[in-house]
Amino acid sequence: MNNNKIQRHNERMKRHKEIVDDKIAKATIEQGVVIVITGNGKGKTTSALGTLLRSLGHGHHCALVQFIKGQWACGETQFFAQTDNLKTFTMDTGFTWNTQDFAQDKLAAQTIWRECLPLFSDPNCRLIVLDEITYMFKYNYLAINELLSALKNRPKQQNIIITGRGAPKELLEFADTVSEIKPLKHAFNQGIKAQEGIEW
Ligand code: ATP
Ligand code: MG
C-alpha cells in the first residue's frame, strides 16, 4: 500500500474507534438480557450452548431446558452431565418430530415448563437456555404470555437464551438481542449424512 492509502486506512480506523468508544460510553445499564436465536439456518442451539459454556466458565449457575428430544443422545447432554453448576431439564415424555399425539405432547410441554418455572425467580441462576421452545407456541402447547410474564418478572441480572425457528412476533419485540440465522447451504441438502459431533 502507498502512503496515501495507509493514511486513509488509519483515519478510517480512528473514526471507527471513536464511534465504538462512544457506544461503549453510552451503554451504562446493568441488567441481564433476553437473546433470541431464530431462523432456518444451522447454528441456533450450538450458539446457545457456546454462550452457556462461556457463562459456566465464569462459575455461574446456569440451566439448560430442552423442549425437543432428539433421536440420539446429544454430545452436549453427555458432556454437561458431568458439569457442576448446571441444571438440565429435558422433555422426556412425548414430543419428538415423530409423535402425532397432541394431548400427550401438550402435557409433556406443560410439565417441563412447570418444572423449570422456579428458575425464573432464582437470582442465583445467571443464565437459562430455552432450547427449541418456539415450537411449543407454534403448536399451541404453551401460551406465549406465560413465557413473557416469566421473562418480565425474572431477577434483574438473569440472562435468557431462546432458540428455535419461527420465533413469535411478541417475543422478537420483547427480546434485547435477536439473531436470525440464514441458511445459505446445508450439507444435508447435498446428500451428506448427519454425523455424530456435528448434528448431535
Ligand atoms: P444446531 O443444533 O446444529 O445448532 P440448529 O439448532 O440451528 O442446529 P435445528 O432447527 O434445531 O437447528 O435443527 C437441528 C438439526 O437440523 C441439526 O442437526 C442441524 O444440522 C439440522 N439443520 C439445521 N438447519 C438445517 C437446514 N437448513 N437444512 C438441513 N438441516 C438443518
Ligand atoms: Mg436447535
Side-chain angles (χ1 to χ4, degrees):
M1 276 205 289
N2 65 32
N3 280 348
N4 256 352
K5 273 192 175 166
I6 292 174
Q7 197 185 342
R8 276 207 306 277
H9 169 83
N10 287 347
E11 279 163 11
R12 261 203 316 274
M13 294 308 279
K14 185 168 173 275
R15 276 200 303 278
H16 181 62
K17 184 178 179 323
E18 281 164 7
I19 292 167
V20 174
D21 285 350
D22 187 50
K23 281 189 181 165
I24 292 171
K26 281 180 179 150
T28 55
I29 305 166
E30 285 191 29
Q31 64 168 63
V33 289
V34 174
I35 301 173
V36 173
I37 306 166
T38 191
N40 295 330
K42 172 174 165 59
K44 298 175 290 295
T45 297
T46 45
S47 162
L49 294 173
T51 311
L52 179 61
L53 211 58
R54 183 174 276 179
S55 196
L56 287 167
H58 287 288
H60 300 164
H61 288 261
C62 302
L64 172 61
V65 189
Q66 291 173 300
F67 282 85
I68 292 181
K69 188 178 133 188
Q71 273 175 293
W72 305 287
C74 284
E76 61 267 26
T77 312
Q78 299 179 55
F79 182 81
F80 284 135
Q82 302 139 32
T83 307
D84 292 335
N85 292 351
L86 180 70
K87 286 187 180 150
T88 55
F89 300 80
T90 310
M91 208 158 99
D92 55 0
T93 53
F95 194 80
T96 71
W97 294 118
N98 300 323
T99 67
Q100 287 98 31
D101 185 333
F102 180 82
Q104 184 191 305
D105 294 342
K106 183 168 180 168
L107 183 66
Q110 294 191 336
T111 303
I112 188 175
W113 176 246
R114 253 201 324 275
E115 282 169 5
C116 76
L117 207 48
L119 297 170
F120 295 88
S121 44
D122 177 0
N124 280 325
C125 182
R126 189 74 176 264
L127 169 67
I128 307 173
V129 175
L130 301 170
D131 188 38
E132 322 289 359
I133 196 175
T134 56
Y135 305 99
M136 304 301 109
F137 310 118
K138 180 172 178 206
Y139 297 124
N140 293 310
Y141 298 155
L142 295 177
I144 182 67
N145 283 339
E146 287 181 84
L147 172 64
L148 291 178
S149 148
L151 296 181
K152 279 176 195 154
N153 297 312
R154 76 192 200 280
K156 195 164 178 250
Q157 299 300 333
Q158 190 175 71
N159 295 306
I160 309 286
I161 306 182
I162 291 166
T163 81
R165 298 175 192 209
K169 186 168 69 24
E170 302 93 313
L171 182 57
L172 299 183
E173 279 162 15
F174 184 81
D176 303 292
T177 298
V178 177
S179 293
E180 182 175 26
I181 300 193
K182 182 176 155 188
L184 296 183
K185 263 180 152 185
H186 194 290
F188 186 64
N189 299 327
Q190 293 145 68
I192 302 173
K193 216 172 150 181
Q195 40 185 312
E196 181 184 285
I198 297 293
E199 265 80 32
W200 76 91

